[in-house]
Amino acid sequence: VAGVCRRHEPIVGAAPAAWEVVRAGQPGDAFVAVAVHPTEQAWVFAATPHALYESTDHGQSWRERFRLPLQAHVTGIAVGSSTKPTLLLASDQGLYGSFDGGTQWSLVLGTLGEDENVSTYVAFHPVQPETAFLATMGGLFASSDHGRHWVPTPTPPAAKEVLHFAFDPVKQDRLYLITTQGLFVGSPSTAHWEKRLAVLDAEELEVEESPVEETGEANGSLHHLSAIAIDPRAPSTLYLATSTGVRISTDEGTTWRWLPRTGLTSPAVARLLVRAYSPPVIYAATRDGVARYDAAQNRWDVISTGMDASRINDLAVTHTHLWAATAQGLYRFPVSVELMSEI
């Protein structure tokens, strides 16, 4: 069809693009999380295990906004969409929050049981800005007032230890939960959940790469699930980060297949990031660096130029940069967008 324009992102591993270390925190600090303001893309937040840093100029300058108690370690960041955004900082000792853009902080959830205090992931709803969810090793919690107050969300007993989650971009009341026992999909308001994929016991043999589709309950078992990402342009398409590679489902998690591991030097993937281009751009945080999936070539390319880091803990992206929180510091990589005409 003439005149149809699609947004396409060029392969970002080509010269002369290179990673740049960002001077946030102290030299040599490990970074565990990075997040971007939903509407102000120059506004970036990054966390070491014990401190949160803020930049309002694409990472040119930084200031410390909060330092956790010594016994607490950061596990995630969520940023609200207001001009003085709510900041939620998940940790293994509870959830900390600031409701004035980072000036004043308090422990908003941290007096529950030992498992519930171990927060693993926190995020605001992309369409309902007052709503946030918190994953913990003791269950899922929800807030309807920008994170000030939290209530437990009923989940199946097997879904108690929640590691990560993703919002369905179309069905606003649907969540995909990654737990230590598998993948669940359901509605927090109705507490109806379905198990879509199981996890093998640690003693079982690894699942080998297979080109055929597999159903969740019968053959779709995996060693360890880390994170889930959804294609914003095709919400039925899910990507699953595992300890043995990346899986894809095009039917909301009913059947799965492996993405090829070609070019993926480390099969253990901690985080996935999907950009809404055609075809979608997929970034993976691995133990050997950041990998980008090239759909045209059906392979992965490790983006390593300029990066003196291995273990990637978290990823975020803006219109200008890909951000990586690594065990050896905070990095950014320039990305560009072109308008390509499809004739």
Side-chain angles (χ1 to χ4, degrees):
V1 178
V4 176
C5 291
R6 291 189 177 183
R7 301 181 72 182
H8 169 73
E9 185 176 27
I11 297 176
V12 294
W19 289 99
E20 175 190 4
V21 65
V22 179
R23 303 299 177 186
Q26 299 299 316
D29 278 352
F31 278 79
V32 295
V34 59
V36 178
H37 190 283
T39 58
E40 301 293 334
Q41 301 246 308
W43 205 344
V44 183
F45 297 86
T48 67
H50 297 293
L52 177 69
Y53 297 90
E54 172 196 53
S55 172
T56 57
D57 54 10
H58 298 282
Q60 299 301 316
S61 60
W62 295 82
R63 62 171 174 166
E64 182 178 307
R65 296 313 309 262
F66 182 59
R67 183 161 290 272
L68 279 71
L70 289 178
Q71 71 274 16
H73 296 80
V74 175
T75 56
I77 306 169
V79 184
S81 58
S82 60
T83 54
K84 286 190 176 181
T86 296
L87 303 176
L88 300 176
L89 202 58
S91 82
D92 60 0
Q93 299 291 321
L95 179 69
Y96 293 85
S98 172
F99 305 98
D100 57 7
T103 301
Q104 299 182 19
W105 290 81
S106 61
L107 182 66
V108 295
L109 190 68
T111 57
L112 303 172
E114 181 178 354
D115 291 339
E116 288 85 352
N117 287 343
V118 181
S119 303
T120 54
Y121 184 69
V122 62
F124 284 97
H125 195 286
V127 179
Q128 303 167 1
E130 72 284 353
T131 300
F133 285 88
L134 174 69
T136 80
M137 294 303 287
L140 183 69
F141 291 81
S143 171
S144 58
D145 59 1
H146 301 274
R148 287 177 171 83
H149 302 92
W150 296 82
V151 294
T153 298
T155 57
K160 179 181 178 182
E161 297 173 330
V162 186
L163 303 174
H164 194 254
F165 58 81
F167 300 97
D168 188 310
V170 174
K171 301 174 182 178
Q172 298 181 15
D173 192 42
R174 172 178 281 190
L175 273 181
Y176 291 90
L177 299 184
I178 299 296
T179 79
T180 57
Q181 299 300 310
L183 168 66
F184 294 79
V185 59
S187 165
S189 62
T190 64
H192 176 71
W193 300 92
E194 298 178 9
K195 192 173 187 178
R196 292 290 170 89
L197 205 61
V199 175
L200 289 175
D201 293 332
E203 295 79 10
E204 297 291 336
L205 296 176
E206 284 194 357
V207 177
E208 296 297 328
E209 183 171 344
S210 173
V212 300
E213 291 190 345
E214 300 171 347
T215 60
E217 288 300 321
N219 301 311
S221 298
L222 302 168
H223 266 282
H224 175 71
L225 310 182
S226 304
I228 187 169
I230 302 176
D231 186 341
R233 295 178 58 148
S236 61
T237 300
L238 316 176
Y239 298 91
L240 196 60
T242 84
S243 59
T244 53
V246 177
R247 278 194 167 184
I248 180 175
S249 170
T250 57
D251 53 13
E252 299 181 338
T254 302
T255 59
W256 294 86
R257 61 180 173 87
W258 291 103
L259 286 183
R261 297 193 185 101
T262 306
L264 196 64
T265 55
S266 172
V269 178
R271 283 287 187 268
L272 290 171
L273 193 155
V274 180
R275 299 196 77 181
Y277 297 100
S278 182
V281 178
I282 307 164
Y283 295 105
T286 80
R287 293 176 182 173
D288 288 344
V290 179
R292 179 191 185 277
Y293 183 66
D294 183 351
Q297 299 295 323
N298 202 26
R299 58 164 289 137
W300 295 88
D301 294 303
V302 177
I303 309 168
S304 58
T305 304
M307 178 180 280
D308 186 20
S310 54
R311 187 181 186 93
I312 313 300
N313 296 315
D314 198 13
L315 297 172
V317 69
T318 68
H319 297 316
T320 59
H321 290 93
L322 174 66
W323 292 85
T326 84
Q328 289 79 30
L330 180 66
Y331 284 81
R332 65 181 181 184
F333 189 94
V335 296
S336 60
V337 176
E338 294 178 349
L339 289 178
M340 303 293 290
S341 294
E342 184 182 81
I343 305 299

